[in-house]
Amino acid sequence: MKQIFSLCFLIVGLISVANAQIITIKDKETQMPIELVTLISGKNNTFTSTNAKGQADISAFKGEEKIEIRRVGYKSEIKSYEEIEKMGFEVLLNASLTQFDEVVVSATRWGQISKNIPSKITVISAKDMAWYNPQTTADLLGASGEVFIQKSQQGGGSPMIRGFATNRLLYTVDGVRMNSAIFRAGNIQNVISLDPFAIENTEVFFGPGSIIYGSDAIGGVMSFQTLTPQLSLTEKPLITGKAVSRYSSANGEISNHFDVNIGGKKWASVTSITYSQFGDLKMGKNGTDKYLKNYYVSRMDGTDRVVENPNPRVQNPTGYSQMNLMQKVRFSPNKKWEIQYGFHYSETSDYARYDRLIETQTNGLPVSAVWNYGPQIWIMNNLTVTHKGNNKIYDRMTIRLTQQYFEESRIDRRFNNSRLRTLLEKVQAYSANFDFEKSIGKHKFYYGAEYLLNDVNSIGTAVDIRNGNPILVPDRYPASKWNSYAIYSNYQYFISDNLLMQAGARFNTFGVQSDFTRHLSFYPFDFTNSTTQNSATTASLGFVYTPADSWKISANASTGFRAPNVDDIGKIFDFVNGEVIVPNTSLKAEYAYNGEIGISKILGSIVKIDATAFYTHLDGAMVRRSFQVSGKDSIIYNGIKSKVYAIQNAAFATIYGFNVGIEIKLPTGFSLSSRYNYQLGKEEMDNKNINRSRHAAPAFGTTQVSYQKDKLFMQFYAMYSAEVSYDNLNEEERQKPVIYASNSEGKPYSPSWYTLNFKAMHQFHQQISVSVGIENITDQRYRPYSSGLVAPGRNFIISLKANF
C-alpha cells in the first residue's frame, strides 16, 4: 500500500505545468482588483475566475476568439485572446447596474449565464453582502428585498418565498443539500447556522427546483457558496484574508471575524472563524403598546415570579451567542483534476423562543416559565472531486461526498410547574452526488444521480427541578432512517441564436423506516415498526427568447415535490391542549405544479426593468386530519385525554403573484432601484375550510437611492410591507393573538410598516474600509407578519474591515 501511495505522489509530482499567462482585472474607476470575475469560452468549454488580487491564469484560453468576461455589478465584456494580449493582459471593467447575464450555478449546479435560464434567479454577491452588513444569513436574504423573513426569536429567521416556507424550501451549501429529515412545517431557524462572513456568493432560485435538488424544493432554492481556497498563479505563495469587527446598538451586537487564504500553485487553504454576541433586542418607540414586554419570569425561593421589566422596549430574554468555523483545502494536481475538502462547524448558545414566553393564561399569568432552544449545532464534512474530461460521456464531472451532523433541542417548563422537559434530536446525514455536464454543438446536457440517508435519533428526558428526580417523557420522534435515491437530467437546446429550450426530468424513490418501541409505554399503538417506500417523478419545460441583447423573455412550466420525512410520519406532539398528532405511515409525496413568465428589458444601458408572474398549485398537501389509533379517536397524552389527529395527504393550495423591479443609473454617480413582491394564496385548512395561505407573505419590497464616487458609497433606502387584515389572516394565525396588533374590534391583524435607513462605506485604503449605518431612522415599533419577535428599533451600526 505504501508503494502505491508513493507512486501516486511521484506521478503527481512529475505532472508538467504549462507556463501560466496571468490576466488582471480591475474596476475602471477605482483601479481596485475585482475578485470572482468569471471568464468563459463556450467553444472549448473553458472556465476560470479571478482571485482576491483580480488575477486568473488564462493560458488554457490561448487562441480563443471569444472569451466572455462577467461579474455581477459590472458590464460584461467579450474579448479575444489576441485582444487581451494587446491590452497587456489587463482588463478594466465598468460598473453597471443594468445587466442580466451574470454567471449562476443554482439552476443545474454548473456555471451558466442567467439570461439562458427560464427560471428567475436573484444573485447576492460578496460585494452586496459586505454592503448589507447583515447580522445573520437570514438577514442577508431579507436585505435582498425579494425574500420575506419571519422570526419567532432573535436566534432565528424563517424565509418565505412565493407563498412557501420551512420544509417546502430548500437550502444548499456548496452544492450540498442542507435540509434534514426533521425539517418541519413550523418555522425553522437552520439558515442562521451559516456564517454570512464566510459566504462569497448567494443565489435564490424561485419556483420548483426539484429536478436538480429533489424533495422540498417547491417554493424555491437558496444556494450558498462559501469561500473557495485560491491558488497562487506564480511561484510566490498567495496570502490574502480579512478581519472584520462590527457593533450594532439595537441588541449590543459585537461580531468579530477573521479569514485567511494561503495558496501555492497546487495546494491552497482557507480558514474562517467568526464569533458573535447578541444582547436582548430593543424595539422601536413609535407603534402599538401591545408589543411592549412588560414583564419577565424569574424563579425566586423555589417559586416562579412575574417581574416587572424595567424597560418594556427590551425583549427579555432574546440574547444569544454563536461561533462559526470553516476550513477548506484545495488540491489541483493539473488542469483537469481538482479536489476540495471542506469542514464547517456552527454552534449557538441556548436561546429563548420569545413568542412562547409572551403567551399568557386566562388568569393573565405566563403560560411558560422556560422555553428555550438548546444549542443548535451543525457540522459538515464535504469532499468534492471535479474532473474536466472532454470525452464522449462528459466534459466536466463533479462528485460530492458529504457527512453532516445536526443537533437541536427544546427545553420547556410551564409556569410554576416543576417538570423541566428536554427533547433532544440528533441527525446524521449522508449524501453522494454525481453531476455531469456535456455539450454537443447546440445541445447541452446536465445529468446526475443522488443518494441521501438521514439517521434520526430522538431522546426525551425530564427532571423535577425541586429534587432532581427524573421523570419519564416520550421522545419527539421514533428512531428512524430516511433515504432517497434519484436520477435526473436537464437538457438545453439552442433552437436559434435568439431562442433556447430547456427541459428536465427526475425520478426519485424515498422511504422511511421507524422504530416506535420506546413509545409503546406512552401510547396504545398496535405496531412497533413502520416502513414507508414511495416514489416521485418531476419534469420541467422552459423557453428563453432574446430578440436583442437588451431583451429577455422567458416562460417555464415545472413540477416539484416534497417527500414525507420523519417529522411528517413519526412526530408525536400536542399542537393544542387536548389534541395530539400521531404517526401516519401511509403518507405520499405532495406535488406542486408551477407556471411562470418573465420579461427583462435594458434601455440604453441606463434603465433595467424586469417582471415575473407565477402561479403554483399544490396537490396532496400534507395537513392535519382526524385519525384513529387502534380504533380509538382519543388517547391519553401528557396526562390529558386528547383527540387524535395525523398528517395526511388531504388538502390543496394555490399561490399566485408577481415580482417587479427597476434599476436606473442616474448622472454623477447616483442610481435608483426598487423591488416589489406580491403573492396571494389560498389553502385548504384542517377543518376543510378554504382560507388565506399562512406562508403567503403580505406585499413587500424595498426602494434604494445610491451614490458612488471613487471609494465612497452611500445609500438611503426604505423597506416596507403591506397590512394583513383580520379578514385576510390565516385561521391558524388568528389563534395567536399575542403576536399581533388589535384592530378597532379587538381582533388580531398585522399592520403595515416601513423603515427608513442610511448606510455609507468608505475605502480609506486598498486594505482598510469603514462602514456606518442607521437602520429604522424613525424608530418604528413593528412586528413583521407572523413573527413573534418585534423588529429592532433605531439601530446604529459601525464596522471596520481590514484586507491583506
Side-chain angles (χ1 to χ4, degrees):
M1 182 62 72
K2 290 183 179 179
Q3 289 85 347
I4 293 175
F5 277 112
S6 299
L7 180 61
C8 290
F9 281 112
L10 177 63
I11 293 173
V12 169
L14 294 175
I15 293 175
S16 62
V17 180
N19 291 330
Q21 182 56 65
I22 310 302
I23 186 174
T24 302
I25 301 178
K26 298 180 179 180
D27 183 296
K28 186 174 183 179
E29 184 172 355
T30 66
Q31 293 296 305
M32 297 286 289
I34 308 174
E35 186 180 4
L36 299 176
V37 178
T38 56
L39 297 94
I40 305 172
S41 171
K43 182 178 179 181
N44 292 321
N45 201 33
T46 308
F47 174 93
T48 191
S49 61
T50 57
N51 61 21
K53 295 185 177 181
Q55 297 178 332
D57 179 2
I58 61 168
S59 54
F61 291 80
K62 191 169 185 177
E64 291 286 353
E65 297 180 356
K66 185 178 179 182
I67 302 173
E68 301 175 13
I69 305 172
R70 305 181 186 276
R71 175 69 162 86
V72 176
Y74 291 88
K75 183 180 178 181
S76 298
E77 298 282 351
I78 298 178
K79 304 284 185 182
S80 68
Y81 185 89
E82 185 179 354
E83 287 177 309
I84 295 174
E85 188 176 24
K86 289 180 179 179
M87 297 168 69
F89 294 99
E90 180 174 289
V91 175
L92 303 179
L93 295 184
N94 290 296
S96 173
L97 293 174
T98 53
Q99 64 177 118
F100 44 76
D101 58 356
E102 63 265 34
V103 175
V104 295
V105 299
S106 57
T108 60
R109 287 200 182 100
W110 295 103
Q112 294 177 276
I113 300 172
S114 61
K115 69 184 297 184
N116 293 335
I117 298 171
S119 299
K120 174 178 171 56
I121 297 176
T122 290
V123 178
I124 305 172
S125 67
K127 183 179 179 181
D128 295 329
M129 200 286 297
W131 174 243
Y132 294 155
N133 216 355
Q135 291 192 357
T136 69
T137 304
D139 297 331
L140 170 65
L141 293 168
S144 70
E146 297 186 80
V147 179
F148 193 90
I149 301 296
Q150 180 277 350
K151 289 188 178 183
S152 297
Q153 63 281 325
Q154 190 172 197
S158 189
M160 297 182 183
I161 299 176
R162 288 192 174 182
F164 295 100
T166 61
N167 56 14
R168 291 181 180 134
L169 299 176
L170 189 81
Y171 305 87
T172 71
V173 183
D174 297 337
V176 177
R177 172 192 182 92
M178 191 182 186
N179 293 39
S180 76
I182 60 171
F183 265 43
R184 57 191 180 276
N187 297 309
I188 58 177
Q189 52 275 347
N190 298 72
V191 71
I192 70 166
S193 291
L194 300 173
D195 179 8
F197 288 107
I199 295 173
E200 67 182 18
N201 192 65
T202 300
E203 296 176 20
V204 181
F205 179 100
F206 292 84
S210 289
I211 301 299
I212 297 298
Y213 298 104
S215 178
D216 304 357
I218 288 180
V221 177
M222 290 156 283
S223 175
F224 303 95
Q225 176 63 49
T226 59
L227 298 174
T228 301
Q230 298 178 352
L231 298 169
S232 174
L233 302 177
T234 65
E235 297 298 329
K236 184 179 179 181
L238 174 67
I239 302 177
T240 61
K242 65 178 179 289
V244 183
S245 186
R246 182 180 62 220
Y247 170 79
S248 302
S249 65
N251 57 358
E253 177 226 9
I254 298 176
S255 290
N256 292 290
H257 167 81
F258 176 80
D259 66 68
V260 60
N261 182 98
I262 302 174
K265 297 197 71 172
K266 294 183 180 181
W267 290 90
S269 165
V270 63
T271 303
S272 171
I273 180 170
T274 302
Y275 180 77
S276 297
Q277 183 79 42
F278 307 97
D280 292 335
L281 184 64
K282 186 178 183 180
M283 66 182 78
K285 70 177 181 180
N286 299 311
T288 176
D289 288 346
K290 186 180 178 184
Y291 294 164
L292 294 174
K293 183 68 158 54
N294 294 307
Y295 69 89
Y296 62 92
V297 175
S298 180
R299 191 161 182 83
M300 305 176 186
D301 301 322
T303 303
D304 291 330
R305 300 185 186 276
V306 176
V307 180
E308 181 180 358
N309 190 354
N311 187 346
R313 290 172 55 196
V314 175
Q315 300 171 82
N316 177 12
T318 52
Y320 76 104
S321 61
Q322 181 167 336
M323 168 72 78
N324 283 85
L325 301 172
M326 186 189 77
Q327 176 64 56
K328 283 187 174 182
V329 178
R330 176 182 177 185
F331 175 52
S332 296
N334 53 43
K335 299 293 185 180
K336 291 184 176 293
W337 287 96
E338 181 171 292
I339 301 170
Q340 283 195 42
Y341 166 74
F343 170 78
H344 298 260
Y345 179 87
S346 173
E347 181 174 0
T348 69
S349 64
D350 287 9
Y351 52 92
R353 180 166 174 180
Y354 182 75
D355 62 337
R356 290 296 183 93
L357 294 177
I358 59 177
E359 294 177 341
T360 56
Q361 306 174 52
T362 54
N363 60 9
L365 293 175
V367 172
S368 299
V370 177
W371 215 119
N372 293 335
Y373 285 109
Q376 179 173 292
I377 299 174
W378 171 62
I379 301 173
M380 183 168 83
N381 291 278
N382 178 28
L383 179 67
T384 302
V385 179
T386 301
H387 180 236
K388 297 178 182 178
N390 294 322
N391 53 48
K392 294 182 179 180
I393 305 300
Y394 60 85
D395 294 328
R396 288 187 293 172
M397 171 197 72
T398 295
I399 299 173
R400 294 179 178 88
L401 305 176
T402 308
Q403 177 269 336
Q404 296 181 79
Y405 173 77
F406 303 88
E407 181 178 314
E408 59 185 57
S409 57
R410 294 157 179 81
I411 305 163
D412 69 297
R413 184 175 62 81
R414 295 180 68 85
F415 187 76
N416 273 330
N417 188 303
S418 62
R419 190 193 73 169
L420 180 67
R421 180 178 64 167
T422 300
L423 299 176
L424 173 65
E425 280 77 55
K426 299 179 180 180
V427 180
Q428 292 282 0
Y430 307 91
S431 63
N433 289 87
F434 305 86
D435 291 288
F436 305 88
E437 178 193 33
K438 181 64 182 176
S439 296
I440 305 175
K442 295 183 176 181
H443 308 270
K444 286 192 174 183
F445 301 88
Y446 307 92
Y447 61 97
E450 178 184 73
Y451 168 71
L452 305 171
L453 173 64
N454 281 201
D455 191 345
V456 178
N457 184 23
S458 178
I459 302 173
T461 59
V463 64
D464 188 325
I465 62 172
R466 297 170 301 181
N467 51 36
N469 292 335
I471 302 173
L472 292 178
V473 293
D475 305 331
R476 182 176 173 88
Y477 301 112
S480 302
K481 293 184 185 297
W482 181 89
N483 62 75
S484 170
Y485 304 82
I487 55 173
Y488 47 87
S489 177
N490 260 321
Y491 165 66
Q492 271 192 349
Y493 173 54
F494 291 83
I495 300 172
S496 68
D497 291 340
N498 306 112
L499 182 62
L500 174 147
M501 179 197 75
Q502 179 169 298
R506 180 185 183 104
F507 177 74
N508 211 124
T509 66
F510 51 85
V512 181
Q513 299 83 40
S514 299
D515 182 357
F516 292 89
T517 302
R518 285 173 55 90
H519 290 78
L520 296 182
S521 58
F522 298 96
Y523 310 111
F525 294 157
D526 56 1
F527 59 88
T528 58
N529 295 277
S530 71
T531 299
T532 301
Q533 195 72 36
N534 220 311
S535 63
T537 302
T538 52
S540 66
L541 177 64
F543 295 88
V544 178
Y545 178 55
T546 52
D549 289 341
S550 60
W551 278 96
K552 176 185 175 182
I553 302 170
S554 62
N556 191 48
S558 57
T559 60
F561 76 98
R562 186 175 77 84
N565 62 19
V566 175
D567 185 83
D568 299 307
I569 292 176
K571 182 169 65 176
I572 304 170
F573 77 108
D574 53 337
F575 60 98
V576 175
N577 277 339
E579 297 180 349
V580 62
I581 288 184
V582 299
N584 175 16
T585 59
S586 301
L587 280 175
K588 299 179 180 179
E590 55 185 25
Y591 279 87
Y593 303 88
N594 178 76
E596 63 184 89
I597 55 174
I599 183 169
S600 300
K601 172 63 177 173
I602 294 176
L603 303 171
S605 299
I606 296 175
V607 179
K608 175 186 174 183
I609 302 172
D610 67 271
T612 303
F614 68 92
Y615 175 87
T616 305
H617 177 81
L618 183 66
D619 190 38
M622 292 180 246
V623 295
R624 291 189 292 260
R625 287 286 189 268
S626 298
F627 200 65
Q628 291 187 341
V629 174
S630 301
K632 298 178 181 179
D633 62 5
S634 297
I635 62 173
I636 301 299
Y637 177 82
N638 216 13
I640 301 172
K641 185 176 182 180
S642 302
K643 182 175 172 54
V644 174
Y645 290 82
I647 304 296
Q648 302 176 52
N649 297 101
F652 70 90
T654 58
I655 313 286
Y656 63 88
F658 64 87
N659 171 286
V660 62
I662 185 170
E663 300 173 19
I664 305 174
K665 187 176 182 180
L666 301 171
T668 64
F670 284 93
S671 62
L672 170 69
S673 64
S674 187
R675 300 221 65 88
Y676 183 78
N677 310 272
Y678 176 85
Q679 45 278 314
L680 182 64
K682 294 183 179 181
E683 62 180 309
E684 185 179 2
M685 304 300 292
D686 297 336
N687 58 12
K688 300 187 179 180
N689 289 339
I690 305 301
N691 202 245
R692 289 295 180 95
S693 176
R694 175 189 172 196
H695 289 138
F700 69 98
T702 181
T703 299
Q704 305 163 340
V705 177
S706 305
Y707 173 78
Q708 184 170 11
K709 181 65 175 177
D710 297 328
K711 298 179 181 180
L712 174 66
F713 188 86
M714 296 188 295
Q715 187 178 86
F716 178 80
Y717 64 100
M719 302 190 75
Y720 38 85
S721 174
E723 173 186 302
V724 180
S725 66
Y726 174 79
D727 291 337
N728 290 330
L729 197 61
N730 177 272
E731 286 183 3
E732 291 185 5
E733 295 299 300
R734 292 178 186 176
Q735 307 308 310
K736 299 183 273 185
V738 68
I739 69 172
Y740 288 103
S742 298
N743 63 16
S744 58
E745 299 176 351
K747 296 180 179 180
Y749 83 109
S750 180
S752 62
W753 57 266
Y754 73 92
T755 62
L756 301 178
N757 316 270
F758 173 80
K759 289 183 179 179
M761 180 169 65
H762 189 268
Q763 189 86 31
F764 286 97
H765 185 270
Q766 185 170 343
Q767 278 75 39
I768 299 175
S769 64
V770 175
S771 299
V772 295
I774 308 176
E775 296 177 335
N776 194 1
I777 295 171
T778 56
D779 212 13
Q780 298 296 303
R781 182 185 303 155
Y782 69 99
R783 189 178 249 143
Y785 166 72
S786 193
S787 294
L789 189 73
V790 182
R794 185 181 295 122
N795 185 28
F796 295 92
I797 305 168
I798 183 168
S799 176
L800 175 66
K801 181 170 75 170
N803 296 309
F804 61 90

